[in-house]
Amino acid sequence: QVQLVESGGGLVHPGGSLKLTCTASGRAFGSYALAWFRQARGKEREFVAAINWNSERPEYADSVKGRFTITRNNANNTLSLQMRSLKPEDTAVYYCAANMVVVTTTAYDHWGQGTQVTVSS
């Protein structure tokens, strides 16, 4: 079992940057695949990025490729999402998720409570 808590959300201007962090507690953090999802108001939750247990071959949604970077630190039980060149359409609640394998659907076993990111001038 793993518990996930997101932090780092806030208000940022278009073109700005923001870094989200997900801190995990529980056993075997290093064995989990981890991901970020987001859900804008009135829309379905969508995949943003994912990373496997040893940080090989991270995956990104086309909409964030080249702007967002997912990283993990297994020693500190943290997952991060560095977001650059933010656009108003990036506005959403961002969730971290954990699973035994990387998938790009919402079929993850564990979820955090979410953190709001608002991109607006």
Side-chain angles (χ1 to χ4, degrees):
Q1 188 76 7
V2 62
Q3 293 79 43
L4 306 170
V5 178
E6 302 92 338
S7 61
L11 173 65
V12 62
H13 293 308
S17 298
L18 203 61
K19 184 175 183 178
L20 305 182
T21 299
C22 176
T23 302
S25 59
R27 296 183 176 182
F29 173 84
S31 64
Y32 283 96
L34 302 170
W36 289 98
F37 285 78
R38 66 187 181 186
Q39 188 166 17
R41 186 175 299 179
K43 295 189 176 182
E44 299 279 322
R45 190 169 299 189
E46 65 174 4
F47 170 78
V48 174
I51 191 167
N52 68 352
W53 70 274
N54 63 356
S55 301
E56 289 183 342
R57 297 188 300 275
E59 297 189 37
Y60 297 93
D62 288 343
S63 59
V64 307
K65 206 171 289 185
R67 300 188 298 123
F68 290 11
T69 302
I70 186 171
T71 56
R72 67 187 294 165
N73 186 324
N74 290 341
N76 293 335
N77 282 13
T78 57
L79 171 72
S80 296
L81 185 69
Q82 178 67 57
M83 305 184 292
R84 298 181 175 86
S85 302
L86 283 161
K87 305 174 182 179
E89 51 263 43
D90 295 317
T91 295
V93 177
Y94 283 71
Y95 299 89
C96 68
N99 206 42
M100 295 312 297
V101 295
V102 169
V103 295
T104 58
T105 69
T106 56
Y108 278 72
D109 294 328
H110 309 284
W111 292 88
Q113 84 290 349
T115 186
Q116 176 71 46
V117 171
T118 303
V119 184
S120 175
S121 54

